[in-house]
Amino acid sequence: MTQPASQPGAYRTGEPIRDTKAPSGPVEDRWDTRRFQAKLVNPANKRKLTVIVVGTGLAGGSAAATLGELGYKVKSFCYQDSPRRAHSIAAQGGINAAKNYRGDGDSVYRLFYDTVKGGDFRARESNVYRLAQVSVNIIDQAVAQGVPFAREYGGLLDTRSFGGAQVSRTFYARGQTGQQLLLGAYQALERQIAAGTVEMHTRHEMLEIVVSGGRARGVVVRDMVTGEIETHLADAVVLATGGYGNVFFLSTNAKGCNTTAIWRAHKKGAYFGNPCFTQIHPTCIPVSGDYQSKLTLMSESLRNDGRVWVPLRKGDDRAPADIPEDERDYYLERIYPAFGNLVPRDIASRAAKNVCDEGRGVGPGGLGVYLDFADAIARLGRDAVEKKYGNLFEMYERITGENPYEVPMRIYPAVHYTMGGLWVDYDLQSTIPGLFVIGEANFSDHGANRLGASALMQGLADGYFVLPTTIGDYLAGAGAFGPVEEDDVAEARKAVQEKIDRLLAVNGTRTADSYHRELGRIMWDYCGMERTEESLRKALERIPELREEFWNNVKVPGDAEGLNQALERAGRVADFFELAELMCVDALHRTESCGGHFRAESQDADGEALRDDENFAYVAAWEWTPDGPVLHKEELDYEYVKMTQRSYK
């Protein structure tokens, strides 16, 4: 329902939106049908077409490399000093694929089913089935590139289990899977750079989309070293800039991760899908003080062999070794016997919060639970555990000073991933023609909760296999696009310059980081793991007040001529303020609980998330207007997976 304009969280309801690109017919045939229906671009014409790719992680790096290999002229941009430093490098645990090498009952359909169910029935069937289909090709591609996946004694690729699945479908390279996959994509990208098909621009930040004739035709970027504002034009633009979890300030994301690229595109006409769907990862090193600027992930793969527990008794501050077995509560195994410690992330995170809220948490402030490997070490031996998880154990010890071979790890949920992102159709094209969005930057495949090891799968599926096909269908009509209007370029450049000038002109007394930290606390307290109407309305009162204070009192030292990291951060924080408000509006309007979006008013007798399929079985696609957000609903239809209340018991 449209909210009255005077209330915090006000919005208007617009016309429904529909994905017109997904074919009909049997779900297993839809991707083949779309590939055949897509128009082709002949090799001679590809050499005349330019595609801009922003971001060089798994999605952006693989897309730029593949498009270059196909013969397009590609311009690739990243704000890091090397494509290798994209945040994909931090992914640890593995990548899913329906290879069924274990013969344990896996299949493309089972991966499809697990992903739809894991997303709490808030994702499109067509997109998810395609993802499951393409997953098997990703492993072959990566192996051909030399990615050193773990292997069994006989030389076959090894797999392990992740949350939300009862089969072992996750391929891995110790705890460095993202790094190894990114190096594979990076070497493919570097090959195309050397071949001259890809033009690489490092240390450049995208600050605006150039829209001309109703199409995305380029970007405005800032050279972060010289401060120069540059315009780059193309026939299509691809955003692969990752998620927006850093809106919470403390997250497992790299400090540079931001929302600027997708938010500026949103304000130019790209709808934003399900912004309130954020993932809280259950296995992170707990916060240790107010001075922290980020949090550290401990891979979900650790839950294969680690057992999660807390003391049975409230306030039990004994050392873990002094607490006997009969005074421990292995609560995930107790509550969810069918999946045990491998329940999906949203469920494991809420369960950890619940036992800590009961006063049974461990460590400073009682905000932690134990992840214990004593049984695994006794069963497998220390050497076997070290081969699987050695680098993760070393990282944990370096950060905490505690040896996880001897004492249990302490973990607590933290912001990790965002299922929301720019709305795209089956072709991965946004509501701005010619603007394609891939990887975590779009909303498309994970519904309200992403299963572990599926982010790498989606990023590489989009970049290596899906986008190179679907963008060709769009570019086949490039002859009719016409020239880019100079006025449109001038308008985009003016918007960028005005924002920079405005930030520098405030000359207040507080840093952008201090405002970001305060915004993050508001988001975590009022729009975090648990949300209520009251908390969201508080956030929607406080965020505009803090934003106004930011624009009147932020201190950005230096100038725009050259390297200025304070200016970079201030621009990103300004965008986070606006995104945070939309996230709270989305969370307030969706009065059901589903996946990572837990409304305390909507839970069953056991405290589990209670969906409202009658009223909320849709994608919330938000349009930006100067008068406030407009909601467009994309109804979700399920032909193959029956919508039921999720159960992992």
Side-chain angles (χ1 to χ4, degrees):
M1 180 183 295
T2 300
Q3 300 294 308
S6 59
Q7 289 187 8
Y11 66 90
R12 292 174 289 132
T13 302
E15 293 296 316
I17 190 170
R18 195 163 59 90
D19 175 15
T20 60
K21 300 291 178 62
S24 56
V27 69
E28 61 271 17
D29 295 336
R30 290 176 188 173
W31 178 227
D32 287 338
T33 300
R34 182 66 189 123
R35 285 193 293 175
F36 179 73
Q37 291 175 345
K39 299 171 186 174
L40 301 177
V41 181
N42 77 52
N45 286 339
K46 285 175 182 171
R47 293 192 292 271
K48 303 173 185 176
L49 298 171
T50 301
V51 180
I52 285 173
V53 181
V54 184
T56 56
L58 286 179
S62 60
T66 307
L67 292 171
E69 185 81 45
L70 286 171
Y72 295 105
K73 291 187 291 184
V74 180
K75 291 185 177 183
S76 179
F77 295 85
C78 69
Y79 63 75
Q80 297 91 347
D81 58 1
S82 165
R84 288 178 303 172
R85 295 189 183 276
H87 186 58
S88 299
I89 205 168
Q92 298 171 353
I95 178 171
N96 288 330
K99 285 286 197 181
N100 194 32
Y101 285 164
R102 290 288 186 99
D104 55 1
D106 201 11
S107 64
V108 168
Y109 193 91
R110 186 174 294 279
L111 176 53
F112 157 66
Y113 174 84
D114 286 347
T115 305
V116 172
K117 177 185 175 183
D120 217 354
F121 305 93
R122 290 296 177 263
R124 297 181 188 135
E125 285 189 329
S126 296
N127 288 63
V128 176
Y129 196 92
R130 176 177 65 188
L131 179 63
Q133 282 179 299
V134 171
S135 71
V136 298
N137 304 121
I138 298 170
I139 303 304
D140 297 339
Q141 172 91 351
V143 169
Q145 291 173 336
V147 173
F149 286 123
R151 293 179 181 268
E152 297 175 322
Y153 178 78
L156 299 177
L157 294 179
D158 195 14
T159 54
R160 56 191 179 196
S161 299
F162 257 61
Q166 292 176 305
V167 296
S168 293
R169 64 162 67 102
T170 305
F171 295 78
Y172 64 99
R174 288 186 82 190
Q176 305 169 348
T177 314
Q179 180 183 30
Q180 299 304 324
L181 288 169
L182 184 61
L183 289 174
Y186 170 71
Q187 68 186 17
L189 176 61
E190 286 296 319
R191 177 175 179 270
Q192 295 307 312
I193 293 171
T197 62
V198 176
E199 183 182 293
M200 188 70 232
H201 298 266
T202 58
R203 302 295 288 156
H204 282 71
E205 183 171 23
M206 194 212 94
L207 297 178
E208 190 61 275
I209 293 282
V210 176
V211 177
S212 184
R215 301 176 185 272
R217 297 300 304 272
V219 295
V220 178
V221 299
R222 179 176 180 268
D223 184 320
M224 297 161 67
V225 178
T226 68
E228 183 181 354
I229 303 300
E230 304 173 3
T231 304
H232 295 265
L233 302 180
D235 298 289
V237 177
V238 180
L239 297 185
T241 52
Y244 49 90
N246 274 350
V247 69
F248 291 89
F249 187 75
L250 286 178
S251 82
T252 65
N253 290 184
K255 283 299 293 176
C257 294
N258 62 83
T259 190
T260 291
I262 60 173
W263 188 254
R264 305 284 172 92
H266 173 58
K267 295 184 75 170
K268 271 296 187 75
Y271 290 4
F272 209 118
N274 299 330
C276 77
F277 286 172
T278 54
Q279 180 164 86
I280 313 295
H281 197 294
T283 52
C284 301
I285 297 178
V287 176
S288 57
D290 292 337
Y291 53 83
Q292 275 186 269
S293 61
K294 77 176 299 298
L295 298 173
T296 303
L297 172 72
M298 286 286 102
S299 170
E300 181 169 318
S301 62
L302 294 170
R303 289 196 276 144
N304 272 272
D305 292 304
R307 300 180 69 192
V308 180
W309 66 275
V310 291
L312 271 175
R313 183 163 50 86
K314 293 182 181 180
D316 190 338
D317 58 0
R318 289 178 291 175
D322 296 335
I323 302 176
E325 279 290 313
D326 61 356
E327 295 182 33
R328 299 179 178 187
D329 181 12
Y330 295 90
Y331 58 90
L332 291 178
E333 298 173 27
R334 171 176 57 83
I335 302 171
Y336 308 103
F339 282 74
N341 294 298
L342 288 174
V343 292
R345 292 174 176 177
D346 58 319
I347 290 175
S349 293
R350 284 197 296 273
K353 179 181 183 298
N354 290 340
V355 295
C356 290
D357 288 349
E358 292 170 5
R360 296 194 288 143
V362 301
L367 293 177
V369 300
Y370 289 128
L371 182 61
D372 197 336
F373 292 87
D375 286 356
I377 292 171
R379 185 178 74 253
L380 303 171
R382 173 168 170 157
D383 287 349
V385 172
E386 189 170 353
K387 285 179 181 177
K388 284 185 175 181
Y389 311 117
N391 67 306
L392 298 172
F393 278 40
E394 181 184 354
M395 186 194 318
Y396 180 86
E397 185 172 8
R398 285 187 178 185
I399 292 172
T400 65
E402 299 173 0
N403 184 347
Y405 294 106
E406 298 174 0
V407 296
M409 288 183 177
R410 288 178 296 106
I411 57 170
Y412 193 71
V415 174
H416 177 60
Y417 187 89
T418 52
M419 286 73 66
L422 293 186
W423 184 94
V424 292
D425 61 19
Y426 191 69
D427 283 0
L428 305 181
Q429 186 171 203
S430 73
T431 48
I432 301 176
L435 179 65
F436 292 79
V437 190
I438 60 177
E440 190 180 353
N442 74 31
F443 88 102
S444 64
D445 292 346
H446 306 295
N449 175 64
R450 177 177 66 77
L451 292 184
S454 288
L456 306 187
M457 176 174 62
Q458 186 210 346
L460 292 178
D462 287 355
Y464 280 136
F465 300 105
V466 180
L467 177 80
T469 296
T470 60
I471 200 171
D473 180 72
Y474 174 78
L475 291 172
F481 291 175
V484 179
E485 296 292 334
E486 291 184 11
D487 288 349
D488 296 325
V489 174
E491 179 187 344
R493 290 180 65 97
K494 180 182 176 185
V496 168
Q497 192 62 57
E498 285 179 348
K499 188 156 193 173
I500 290 172
D501 292 344
R502 185 182 176 195
L503 287 166
L504 290 168
V506 176
N507 197 29
T509 61
R510 282 185 64 180
T511 65
D513 272 359
S514 72
Y515 282 107
H516 191 185
R517 187 183 292 273
E518 189 172 349
L519 172 65
R521 172 52 65 183
I522 292 170
M523 292 299 291
W524 179 252
D525 288 346
Y526 301 136
C527 191
M529 266 195 286
E530 182 174 295
R531 301 147 180 194
T532 65
E533 179 178 357
E534 180 184 6
S535 73
L536 292 166
R537 292 201 181 280
K538 283 182 181 177
L540 286 166
E541 290 174 0
R542 186 71 188 104
I543 292 169
E545 294 172 355
L546 189 63
R547 183 174 69 241
E548 183 177 0
E549 182 187 333
F550 168 87
W551 280 110
N552 285 302
N553 194 37
V554 69
K555 175 71 173 180
V556 182
D559 56 37
E561 310 303 319
L563 179 66
N564 189 337
Q565 292 183 313
L567 176 60
E568 296 162 19
R569 286 194 290 268
R572 296 166 188 172
V573 173
D575 293 327
F576 276 136
F577 270 115
E578 296 180 2
L579 168 65
E581 192 166 357
L582 181 62
M583 289 171 65
C584 292
V585 170
D586 188 36
L588 181 63
H589 110 276
R590 192 176 283 271
T591 56
E592 66 164 356
S593 292
C594 58
H597 170 64
F598 187 76
R599 286 289 297 264
E601 305 96 331
S602 183
Q603 54 185 302
D604 63 20
D606 295 326
E608 302 287 357
L610 186 63
R611 290 197 324 272
D612 180 358
D613 294 333
E614 183 176 348
N615 293 304
F616 290 101
Y618 60 77
V619 176
W622 294 93
E623 176 188 6
W624 185 89
T625 74
D627 300 322
V630 177
L631 171 63
H632 302 269
K633 300 178 183 179
E634 180 199 340
E635 298 295 334
L636 293 169
D637 298 316
Y638 289 92
E639 301 175 58
Y640 294 88
V641 181
K642 182 181 178 182
M643 283 195 289
T644 58
Q645 286 299 129
R646 287 188 307 168
S647 174
Y648 291 93
K649 298 179 179 180

